[in-house]
Amino acid sequence: MNKKYALDNLNLNNIKAQIKKADNVLFFLDYDGTLAPFQPDPLSAFALPEIETNLKELEKKEAYYLSLVSGRKLAELKKMIDLKRSNFAGSHGLEIELFFSEGVIYPYQTNEIDVLSKKNYQKSKEKYLAKAGVRLEDKGFGFALHFESEQKQLKAEKDLKALFKNTAYQVLAGRKIVEIRPAGWDKGQAVKYISNQINKKLGIDNTLQIYIGDDSTDEDVFRVIENGITIYVKNEDDLSTEAEYYLYDPEDTAELLVEIAGEN
């Protein structure tokens, strides 16, 4: 992967220099594989303690606005990490909670689900509920399939993409996970929405966007951030990425956050 390792001294100094030039930093982070190592049981995949500590330090800095953007359901995401002055975007941004607003926001909703799309959705849900080697997570407006093996995931991904082609649903794939959800919204759209709300409601300018993520779904964010800092967490895969920098794993994320939180 021909990208720059974020913790190399030269690259780290460049990142810090960009941050120092900004009056305000809009800091977006994925959760699983970025802040928390992967676990067989997603409910036991807690953020590394040093990561949570340093995010709490960043929350105290007036110039920082933190947002977690995850494929997890919003309520579940908020249980995984204890942050008070941060924004949370669950289900790839289909449900958002802003620290300066009341209630949950659903920035993208559509009632225009055609009969064929609904039929395919229900048929797929029933099929995978009864299938061995896969766990179905019902998210209400969509569902996620968690696979025991990548081989099973790839087969299901191929079948589902063919089934839902040109329908009101989209198929998103990650590490041993395939998700069926309404088409037309993704993490990139969610980051743009949150950024606009922060700028509009809080009246700030000269902002720098930072995004750290590890999955193919995070590529939607890397593509929309301009003149910001994009960092891909590699984990064990060597995927091509639109991000400028990379880290190896959540332990690297922790080290980077130590460096950033320690800056004045």
Side-chain angles (χ1 to χ4, degrees):
M1 187 169 59
N2 187 24
K3 299 293 178 180
K4 296 180 283 190
Y5 182 47
L7 292 177
D8 277 347
N9 284 337
L10 178 61
N11 297 327
L12 182 57
N13 288 337
N14 286 337
I15 290 171
K16 289 180 177 181
Q18 279 186 265
I19 291 173
K20 281 187 175 181
K21 288 180 183 177
D23 292 336
N24 298 281
V25 178
L26 308 187
F27 204 159
F28 298 90
L29 305 109
D30 175 45
Y31 183 78
D32 292 284
T34 299
L35 306 183
F38 291 107
Q39 300 289 347
D41 177 11
L43 293 179
S44 65
F46 294 102
L48 295 175
E50 59 270 37
I51 283 181
E52 187 163 346
T53 296
N54 282 285
L55 288 179
K56 288 180 178 179
E57 286 300 312
L58 287 173
E59 274 193 319
K60 297 175 185 176
K61 297 177 182 283
E62 290 185 5
Y64 280 81
Y65 299 88
L66 304 185
S67 301
L68 269 62
V69 185
S70 171
R72 288 179 183 255
K73 291 182 287 188
L74 177 64
E76 181 181 302
L77 176 63
K78 292 188 68 181
K79 290 178 181 178
M80 303 306 295
I81 187 165
D82 182 27
L83 296 174
K84 306 300 184 187
R85 188 183 164 269
S86 294
N87 307 305
F88 291 85
S91 303
H92 300 280
L94 282 169
E95 41 181 0
I96 293 174
E97 191 170 299
L98 303 173
F99 77 88
F100 50 85
S101 297
E102 293 292 330
V104 178
I105 301 165
Y106 303 93
Y108 182 81
Q109 284 184 321
T110 177
N111 296 320
E112 299 176 3
I113 303 294
D114 59 275
V115 174
L116 178 60
S117 296
K118 289 179 180 177
K119 182 178 178 181
N120 288 345
Y121 179 87
Q122 191 59 35
K123 182 170 66 174
S124 299
K125 194 173 177 181
E126 292 171 359
K127 173 185 174 180
Y128 287 100
L129 270 172
K131 200 171 185 66
V134 57
R135 178 177 65 84
L136 188 145
E137 178 189 2
D138 192 342
K139 297 190 175 186
F141 42 73
F143 63 85
L145 302 173
H146 300 267
F147 293 88
E148 294 177 353
S149 72
E150 291 183 1
Q151 185 178 4
K152 289 181 179 179
Q153 176 203 332
L154 291 172
K155 174 65 169 61
E157 181 184 341
K158 181 180 178 181
D159 294 344
L160 289 167
K161 282 186 174 179
L163 180 65
F164 285 99
K165 185 178 181 180
N166 299 323
T167 71
Y169 289 95
Q170 62 179 321
V171 179
L172 297 176
R175 291 186 172 89
K176 294 184 181 179
I177 184 172
V178 176
E179 188 164 347
I180 312 300
R181 57 196 298 281
W185 193 258
D186 55 40
K187 286 184 176 181
Q189 297 295 321
V191 165
K192 287 200 291 187
Y193 176 84
I194 294 172
S195 297
N196 289 336
Q197 290 299 305
I198 291 174
N199 291 337
K200 179 176 157 185
K201 296 290 178 67
L202 303 181
I204 63 175
D205 53 19
N206 187 21
T207 59
L208 173 71
Q209 289 179 310
I210 303 175
Y211 189 89
I212 308 179
D214 77 301
D215 204 276
S216 56
T217 59
D218 297 305
E219 296 298 320
D220 292 317
V221 186
F222 297 148
R223 283 189 282 269
V224 301
I225 288 185
E226 298 179 358
N227 302 318
I229 297 171
T230 51
I231 303 173
Y232 170 66
V233 183
K234 185 173 175 285
N235 289 305
E236 61 272 348
D237 288 338
D238 189 20
L239 298 174
S240 60
T241 179
E242 297 286 331
E244 181 179 4
Y245 299 97
Y246 73 93
L247 296 168
Y248 282 106
D249 47 36
E251 286 76 12
D252 268 5
T253 304
E255 189 173 340
L256 178 64
L257 289 176
V258 168
E259 293 286 342
I260 293 174
E263 290 293 298
N264 294 325

